[in-house]
Amino acid sequence: MDKSRFIFRSIVQSQPARHITSATSSKPPWICTACLRRTARPSILFRAQRQHRRWQSSNQQPADNPEFQSIVDNPPQLVRANRKHNTLGLLILAAIPVTAFILGCWQVQRLGWKTDLIAKFEDRLVREPLPLPPQIDPNAIKEFDYRRVYARGKLRHDREMLIGPRLHDGEDGYLVITPLDRSEQFPGFKGNTTILVCRGWISKDKAAQSARLDGLPQGEVVVQGLLREPWKKNMFTPDNVPQEGKWYFPDVYQMAEHVGSQPVWIEETMRPDLLTSYDRMAKGVPIGRTPEVNLRNNHTQYIFTWFSLSLATTIMMWMVIKKAPGGSSRRLRQSKEW
């Protein structure tokens, strides 16, 4: 009985001491984590570590450690990269300014050629109109392109052809092509004297001849216009269907064979007058073209475009060559001594 009472008294006396120890160890100024791993519980170890880190952050600076080294004490070493530029990429990049410069020089030559051609055509426009002979050599038309001529004869409206669709001031319509029979003007000539005359543009609602009786002159007429070289067809224009009366492109040789005339193309001209054009449109009379050269001359813009591209790509190539490969001129080598 005395022995059990002694054991109970020892347990009661040891409990307050254990409580005091746990209470005082929760907030120590410093604690050994190695000892806590062996004796303390996990929760007490976690709180102790957290309080230790908090104490270090509030009371100790990195520079307090005598072995601490900053970036100034151990600066990085700058070394050049040993990579090389892609040879194929440089060749392709170098070919762009060279090609653009060559195209710019070619456009300079084209500008001179186009300027001389327009000047030659304008010189032909100011001359007096020539009468057309009964027979015309198709190979000689090139030397008389844009030459003012006139012819007398009778318009064959029964063989009329409409080329279209064609736009004029934003409205849809057709070009009226009518053969001009000149056999009465040259009665002693036994050959073919008929030529093709492009009378001008009519609106789509005046395509039927019954809707434009004022535009179908009868008897002998005098046609004055420009002698033009046969047109050249591009790959996007559909083929003509003469059997169905569908003409999409003025193929002079095909049209001449269809109506039995010479492959000679005359474009009838008129003075540019807005009121006259409106009156002709209302009556169904074809609106002729103005006697001027309508060749486009955009080579100056092309010259500026190609030379600008050559200069820009040359600067780009110089910047690429000057800049070392790898994205930067130098590469920073990491220092492991920090």
Side-chain angles (χ1 to χ4, degrees):
M1 187 67 180
D2 295 337
K3 184 178 183 180
S4 59
R5 186 176 299 174
F6 173 77
I7 295 174
F8 175 77
R9 185 181 301 173
S10 300
I11 295 175
V12 172
Q13 291 177 358
S14 62
Q15 284 181 356
R18 191 183 303 115
H19 176 72
I20 294 172
T21 305
S22 61
T24 56
S25 61
S26 59
K27 295 182 180 181
W30 184 87
I31 191 169
C32 179
T33 57
C35 297
L36 287 176
R37 289 194 190 96
R38 295 193 299 268
T39 60
R41 289 179 295 176
S43 59
I44 298 177
L45 175 61
F46 176 74
R47 287 198 303 269
Q49 290 178 348
R50 184 174 60 183
Q51 292 173 1
H52 180 65
R53 287 195 299 267
R54 191 176 300 171
W55 176 81
Q56 283 185 339
S57 61
S58 60
N59 299 308
Q60 188 177 6
Q61 298 296 330
D64 295 338
N65 188 356
E67 298 182 358
F68 173 78
Q69 291 183 353
S70 65
I71 299 178
V72 179
D73 300 328
N74 192 10
Q77 296 182 4
L78 299 178
V79 296
R80 291 187 177 273
N82 296 324
R83 296 177 56 188
K84 296 182 179 180
H85 290 286
N86 190 354
T87 306
L88 180 60
L90 288 179
L91 290 177
I92 296 176
L93 186 59
I96 296 177
V98 174
T99 305
F101 182 79
I102 294 175
L103 291 176
C105 296
W106 177 65
Q107 288 298 328
V108 171
Q109 298 178 357
R110 294 280 296 177
L111 176 62
W113 168 79
K114 184 62 72 64
T115 303
D116 295 341
L117 184 64
I118 293 176
K120 181 173 63 176
F121 289 160
E122 290 179 347
D123 178 68
R124 295 174 182 175
L125 287 175
V126 299
R127 298 183 182 182
E128 293 295 327
L130 294 175
L132 282 180
Q135 192 76 27
I136 303 172
D137 184 10
N139 298 325
I141 295 178
K142 184 178 181 180
E143 302 298 329
F144 293 89
D145 197 12
Y146 277 96
R147 189 68 166 86
R148 296 171 59 194
V149 296
Y150 67 90
R152 188 185 304 271
K154 182 179 180 181
L155 293 173
R156 297 293 304 271
H157 300 292
D158 56 333
R159 298 183 180 180
E160 181 183 83
M161 295 169 286
L162 300 179
I163 301 177
R166 289 293 187 276
L167 293 177
H168 179 75
D169 293 338
E171 295 191 18
D172 196 7
Y174 300 94
L175 292 178
V176 181
I177 313 299
T178 307
L180 180 66
D181 186 5
R182 301 182 299 159
S183 58
E184 296 181 0
Q185 185 183 1
F186 305 100
F189 189 76
K190 298 181 180 180
N192 187 3
T193 59
T194 305
I195 60 175
L196 298 176
V197 177
C198 178
R199 301 183 58 204
W201 179 89
I202 60 172
S203 59
K204 189 175 182 179
D205 57 347
K206 300 294 184 180
Q209 292 187 358
S210 59
R212 49 184 174 91
L213 297 178
D214 295 338
L216 303 175
Q218 304 297 325
E220 188 178 60
V221 296
V222 178
V223 176
Q224 183 173 338
L226 302 179
L227 180 63
R228 293 303 313 277
E229 191 178 2
W231 297 70
K232 296 180 180 180
K233 178 184 175 182
N234 56 37
M235 60 182 299
F236 301 103
T237 305
D239 296 331
N240 298 325
V241 187
Q243 297 78 10
E244 300 179 5
K246 297 180 179 180
W247 302 91
Y248 305 102
F249 178 78
D251 191 338
V252 177
Y253 290 95
Q254 186 181 20
M255 300 175 75
E257 183 180 0
H258 180 69
V259 299
S261 67
Q262 300 182 54
V264 179
W265 177 272
I266 304 296
E267 293 184 355
E268 190 175 1
T269 58
M270 58 173 287
R271 291 184 300 177
D273 189 354
L274 186 60
L275 296 179
T276 303
S277 299
Y278 285 157
D279 183 65
R280 286 194 171 196
M281 184 184 301
K283 295 181 180 180
V285 180
I287 302 175
R289 59 162 297 170
T290 57
E292 62 183 10
V293 180
N294 56 0
L295 296 179
R296 294 184 299 177
N297 189 6
N298 299 328
H299 297 287
T300 304
Q301 302 177 7
Y302 300 153
I303 291 173
F304 177 78
T305 301
W306 288 120
F307 282 149
S308 300
L309 180 61
S310 178
L311 177 61
T313 52
T314 301
I315 296 175
M316 290 175 58
M317 185 180 64
W318 177 77
M319 294 176 62
V320 171
I321 296 177
K322 181 181 178 182
K323 186 177 181 181
S328 60
S329 59
R330 293 186 175 183
R331 184 176 59 188
L332 179 63
R333 188 175 66 182
Q334 182 180 5
S335 177
K336 299 182 180 180
E337 303 297 332
W338 297 349

